[in-house]
Amino acid sequence: MKAKALTLCFALLPSITLAAPPPVDPAMLELADQSRCLTCHDVDETLRGPAWRDVAKRYRGQPEVEEILVKKVYEGGGGVWGNDYMSANKRAGIDNIRVLVRWILTLP
């Protein structure tokens, strides 16, 4: 009986490991770090701000949301993910913000 259970576990292992999210692009993480995004955000965990995979999930399939999010990051704002306020991040530059938002929206 134990051998059958162990065989079943090993048979299911490949499908479990395939379910893991793909590795995150190191260049995008470097840009996010340089832009000080990682102070409040993480790809997978909610810190002060929402996890980026949660952002991607919430806005998936909404093409008009990219510019809304770029503006929100650049100018700051609040009320969407709770009571905390997102500080403006103008020092990152609008072009870098746009690159990061596009990348975030592609996360699985």
Side-chain angles (χ1 to χ4, degrees):
M1 182 68 177
K2 288 182 184 180
K4 285 184 181 181
L6 190 57
T7 302
L8 180 61
C9 287
F10 282 122
L12 293 175
L13 188 59
S15 62
I16 292 170
T17 56
L18 290 177
V24 176
D25 184 344
M28 290 293 103
L29 282 181
E30 178 66 25
L31 181 57
D33 187 40
Q34 291 171 357
S35 302
R36 295 189 164 180
C37 302
L38 299 178
T39 303
C40 299
H41 296 278
D42 182 74
V43 174
D44 296 304
E45 294 182 39
T46 298
L47 301 177
R48 183 174 177 196
W52 286 333
R53 288 193 201 277
D54 293 340
V55 173
K57 184 178 177 181
R58 177 177 281 186
Y59 295 114
R60 187 164 286 122
Q62 299 179 39
E64 72 284 352
V65 81
E66 182 181 313
E67 282 306 311
I68 293 168
L69 293 177
V70 168
K71 182 178 178 182
K72 174 82 75 157
V73 173
Y74 189 74
E75 296 178 357
V80 178
W81 294 91
N83 296 325
D84 213 348
Y85 182 83
M86 180 171 170
S87 302
N89 195 352
K90 294 181 180 182
R91 73 177 155 260
I94 199 81
D95 292 333
N96 287 340
I97 292 169
R98 186 168 281 109
V99 167
L100 286 166
V101 166
R102 283 182 185 158
W103 169 69
I104 289 166
L105 291 173
T106 67
L107 292 171

